[in-house]
Amino acid sequence: MSTNAENPEDGAGQPYSRWEEFDEANGDLEFTYPPQRKGFASRLLRGNKGVCVKGLLFLIVLLIGFFLGYLIRRHVHMQAVPHHSGRCGDSFWEHYYKPELAKKLRSYISTERIDTDLKYFSNSPHWAGSGVDTLQALYIESKFDNARLYDIQKLKYLVKLSKPDRLMPNTVSIVDTSGAAPVYLNSSLFSNGSASRENGRQEELQPFVAYSAAATAQGDVVYAHFGRRSDFDLLDEKAVNVTGCVVIIRRGKIPVHAKVAYAEARGAVGVLLYGDPEQVAADQNATWPNGPWLPPSGVQYATLIRQFGDPETPGAPSYGDIELLSSVYRQKADFPRIPVQPISYAYASEIIRQLGGMAAPSSWTGQLAGISQYHLGPGFRNTSGNAQQQVRVQVNNKEELSEIIDVVGKILGKTEPTKYIIVGAHRDAWSHGAIDNAAGTAILLEVMNAFRKLLADEPAWHPGMTIIFASWSGEEFGKIGSTEFAEQFGHELLTRAVAYVNIDAPVVGNHTLYVAASPLVKKAIYESARAVDCPSSIHATQRDDGDGGGGVHSMYDQWLATDSDYDSRPRVNYHNLNSDAMPFLLQAGISSVSASYRYDPASSRYAKAPPVKHTAYDTYDYFTTMVDPGLVYTTAMANFYADLILRLADSAVLPFDVLDYVSVINAEVTKLKTQHGAELKGHNISLAGLEFIVSRFAAMAEQFSLPVHFTPLSGQHADPFHTMQDAGMKILHPTKGIGQYIMDAEVELCRLHYQHNNEVLLAVERAFLVSTKTATTRHVLFAAGEEGTIVFPGVVTAIEAAMLGKGSWDDVLRQVAVLTNAVQSATDVIRNAYAPMALKQSSL
């Protein structure tokens, strides 16, 4: 073997053996290194030629940095909430909401499938935790599985529920003070007139008030109208003493828990609740099945939960499969200590017709048959010699831990999978629950099915954000299932949830759309209402759709014509916080919406809901005969919800408008000054600071809502700087067209920019959440009050307490400061996100 070790770089190879110690035995295994040459980069960078190359590389790097710096700088200076006007190019917008795709989605909605599910879910009573409720949860799970939803879960919670004792039914009786047998007791009135108890169906619960004290009370009767604070004040003015009495109160106007709280505070020993024919049977010749009104034997169920969630684990989830963990958080719930029982208006008439005492005001007299004048009591007129008759209320409700099940499943988002649009409907009911809420559950499943079909027919499409479909249990007892979910996933919801869409009793009439929602989401609601045809033949007049072919009135047009607001747009009400939207909005600051078709308040006494709601008469037959024959409105609401969900999940720019929040806050500050300005001034409390901060918020929101001003990268550039940009890009990508590269960069830039704007919108909503250590409520703008939704709850409740001598005016001042700071936080969210823009506003 020849070697050339003296100069290993001259191109000759060196001998090499794998087994060096056996070279003699393996002499044939010889390998030679290939001739070694100097590296290309090393040779290129030598001499004068290398200097030129180095200079060119430096120039390219400089151009890249200049180009990227320009992109970043332009991105930072872009103003927020850009409107789609083609600036980002079709290659960007093709990934997001398209009207033709929404139309295709709505075309999948099937009235027949809705009807099938409506029948199934209203076939039998299915209160929370019952066997039928569990079977329905499994049915929904199978539907989710057939639709190939992702991450399907049955979430089990162990919660405290209150139910009547089947072996010891609750009773209400008229007795005499001698202790003799009841003078009047008709237990059949407690059967609630089951419309269709067939073999195999779960038996109904006796009508009851959940979480009423299990106790017996006896006393004279006092009639307290609707049981509002003002009603009890009037009784005080007329020297009608409630202490030691059983109070009979009409349903309506305020929540049941508020009525009972006011009665107990005045010394009542028991409460009877009934629906007066004035509200539930105005035409007593047209009660079901001859008409829509509630029959004489109908009784409404109710609950005494004041807030929401499992009453024994406030603020913490009641995990059904971790009983030990659940028991750590459990605490005794604070409920009224007096018995409460609902009765029919047939039985109520037997009590009220015998009342003595002062005549009730004419406005307090209802329409009980044969009673032209109601009396206040206390006690009955003496109609039986020397015996004094009283009413005895015996409630034997039992409280026990019961398992309830929420069922959830997801359609994963494509561009923002970690952002959630949550769509929920409760499936539990006091009885059959066709109106409330088999119709809502049927819509939930049909909308989910429509999305499944769209995904199958458009394989390249997925919603931009993840859609979570959820079936809650325990709503009727106190929004328990939705609240436990919100408590279990609270942190994730705070950072990821974009909106909550609540489907609850979606059709209770046929006059117009009724919407309750967070101010921020108004814009999306209006746009979806415009996209859906009006279902009412009364309002289905021809109109021009812009294509010359005409069309029908939209849901929006009918809504605007029948219920417009001060700003010449359809009215969007403050959220009904007696719904599953409550934990999402109040605890997590998630924009929420709930909608339904309702009756005309001017022509119907039951404008909000049919009188059979929350009774055993809320059946499939009633719903399809008296509420929505042919399910025309239910199908329309399914279309509305499908479009709204797609619009929220698939829009590059969230269809939210901060200016709608500004309008609400301005209006409520004005109302606060009008109602309490004198009291505040009398205690040296000024709202000037709050008004100033609100004006700053308004100015910043106005800037935030301006359309973006920028030229797309793919546009024609004439100045030298852009020419250098193009040249630099061509050097970087000699094999890729400059147009395509710039288009790709533009799409990414637009995506990042719009996602940033969306994060700002969500942060504005969250800014109104504060620590309960400094405020009386978590959300400073809205709270559930004793008599409905309270706006500025901390301030308003502090003022009321101070005026009643139960609080100090220093507390009022603190709550004004908390509210002011929250509005300032919302302002800072926008300012800090767009500092360059904010600096231009020197007046701010």
Side-chain angles (χ1 to χ4, degrees), residues 564-712:
S564 59
D565 210 344
Y566 64 90
D567 57 359
S568 299
R569 297 187 298 176
R571 186 187 312 278
V572 173
N573 300 273
Y574 292 141
H575 222 303
N576 174 15
L577 297 177
N578 186 29
S579 75
D580 283 314
M582 199 185 319
F584 295 96
L585 175 63
L586 299 189
Q587 295 298 110
I590 300 168
S591 296
S592 304
V593 57
S594 183
S596 63
Y597 248 85
R598 293 199 173 181
Y599 289 103
D600 181 4
S603 62
S604 171
R605 292 182 182 272
Y606 52 95
K608 289 187 177 180
V612 302
K613 185 182 177 186
H614 291 170
T615 76
Y617 292 104
D618 180 8
T619 62
Y620 173 85
D621 289 341
Y622 182 96
F623 185 78
T624 55
T625 303
M626 295 296 169
V627 180
D628 190 15
L631 301 182
V632 175
Y633 292 89
T634 307
T635 303
M637 289 306 298
N639 277 273
F640 169 79
Y641 275 117
D643 189 276
L644 178 63
I645 294 161
L646 180 64
R647 195 177 298 274
L648 291 170
D650 213 30
S651 293
V653 185
L654 282 173
F656 292 174
D657 193 344
V658 183
L659 290 175
D660 284 325
Y661 243 132
V662 172
S663 298
V664 166
I665 295 174
N666 271 325
E668 292 300 327
V669 169
T670 300
K671 185 185 296 184
L672 184 64
K673 290 174 62 179
T674 301
Q675 294 179 346
H676 299 293
E679 293 92 340
L680 293 172
K681 185 176 180 180
H683 291 85
N684 296 318
I685 298 175
S686 172
L687 297 179
L690 173 62
E691 292 178 292
F692 174 70
I693 296 300
V694 170
S695 69
R696 296 178 68 179
F697 179 50
M700 190 61 69
E702 188 73 40
Q703 289 292 323
F704 186 79
S705 299
L706 291 175
V708 66
H709 301 291
F710 69 96
T711 304

Side-chain angles (χ1 to χ4, degrees), residues 93-405:
W93 294 105
E94 68 183 10
H95 298 291
Y96 293 99
Y97 177 88
K98 299 189 216 36
E100 60 272 19
L101 198 66
K103 187 175 182 180
K104 189 172 186 178
L105 174 69
R106 297 195 302 271
S107 72
Y108 297 132
I109 299 296
S110 165
T111 302
E112 291 72 21
R113 281 192 299 268
I114 292 174
D115 183 58
T116 298
D117 284 333
L118 177 64
K119 284 180 181 176
Y120 172 76
F121 285 104
S122 60
N123 181 60
S124 178
H126 50 284
W127 60 88
S130 66
V132 176
D133 180 45
T134 300
L135 289 175
Q136 291 183 355
L138 297 176
Y139 176 85
I140 290 174
E141 181 188 29
S142 69
K143 288 280 191 176
F144 284 6
D145 187 57
N146 292 338
R148 297 183 179 180
L149 296 194
Y150 173 77
D151 193 23
I152 300 170
Q153 298 182 64
K154 292 200 307 292
L155 303 172
K156 299 178 180 180
Y157 302 105
L158 197 65
V159 302
K160 180 60 68 71
L161 299 183
S162 166
K163 288 174 285 187
D165 189 333
R166 293 187 180 278
L167 300 179
M168 298 179 61
N170 300 345
T171 62
V172 176
S173 53
I174 299 175
V175 301
D176 63 51
T177 55
S178 66
V183 175
Y184 184 91
L185 172 63
N186 189 344
S187 60
S188 65
L189 291 175
F190 294 114
S191 70
N192 211 352
S194 176
S196 54
R197 236 185 245 139
E198 298 178 2
N199 291 335
R201 293 186 179 182
Q202 180 167 272
E203 188 179 353
E204 296 165 5
L205 286 175
Q206 174 198 3
F208 74 112
V209 175
Y211 306 106
S212 165
T216 299
Q218 180 176 318
D220 292 335
V221 178
V222 170
Y223 171 60
H225 200 212
F226 286 105
R228 297 165 295 191
R229 180 184 294 165
S230 58
D231 295 331
F232 282 102
D233 289 343
L234 189 144
L235 291 175
D236 287 343
E237 292 174 10
K238 294 182 177 296
V240 177
N241 188 4
V242 175
T243 302
C245 294
V246 173
V247 180
I248 187 167
I249 301 173
R250 291 161 68 167
R251 294 288 300 266
K253 303 297 185 182
I254 64 173
V256 168
H257 67 75
K259 300 172 186 283
V260 176
Y262 292 148
E264 186 177 32
R266 302 300 175 106
V269 296
V271 172
L272 297 176
L273 300 165
Y274 81 101
D276 196 277
E278 187 174 21
Q279 279 72 46
V280 301
D283 183 356
Q284 296 185 41
N285 294 318
T287 61
W288 176 252
N290 300 315
W293 300 101
L294 184 66
S297 62
V299 186
Q300 292 175 302
Y301 299 86
T303 182
L304 291 180
I305 282 188
R306 297 182 59 185
Q307 294 298 322
F308 41 87
D310 178 14
E312 291 191 344
T313 60
S318 299
Y319 296 107
D321 54 352
I322 314 177
E323 186 172 354
L324 178 62
L325 179 60
S326 176
S327 65
V328 171
Y329 293 104
R330 291 208 172 273
Q331 55 184 267
K332 184 65 175 176
D334 183 20
F335 289 116
R337 293 176 292 277
I338 60 176
V340 184
Q341 177 63 30
I343 59 175
S344 67
Y345 65 81
Y347 196 11
S349 67
E350 296 298 326
I351 296 174
I352 291 178
R353 78 170 66 256
Q354 299 183 58
L355 278 179
M358 187 181 301
S362 59
S363 61
W364 285 34
T365 297
Q367 294 183 4
L368 287 171
I371 307 176
S372 59
Q373 175 65 61
Y374 290 12
H375 286 75
L376 301 177
F380 293 148
R381 298 188 301 275
N382 191 350
T383 59
S384 56
N386 296 323
Q388 177 63 45
Q389 294 180 351
Q390 294 182 327
V391 165
R392 177 185 297 162
V393 182
Q394 184 173 359
V395 173
N396 301 309
N397 291 356
K398 297 188 300 183
E399 293 184 5
E400 56 190 15
L401 290 176
S402 301
E403 183 180 82
I404 63 171
I405 301 174

Side-chain angles (χ1 to χ4, degrees), residues 30-43:
E30 183 176 287
F31 296 85
T32 304
Y33 282 111
Q36 296 183 6
R37 302 179 61 188
K38 297 176 181 177
F40 172 75
S42 175
R43 288 184 283 106

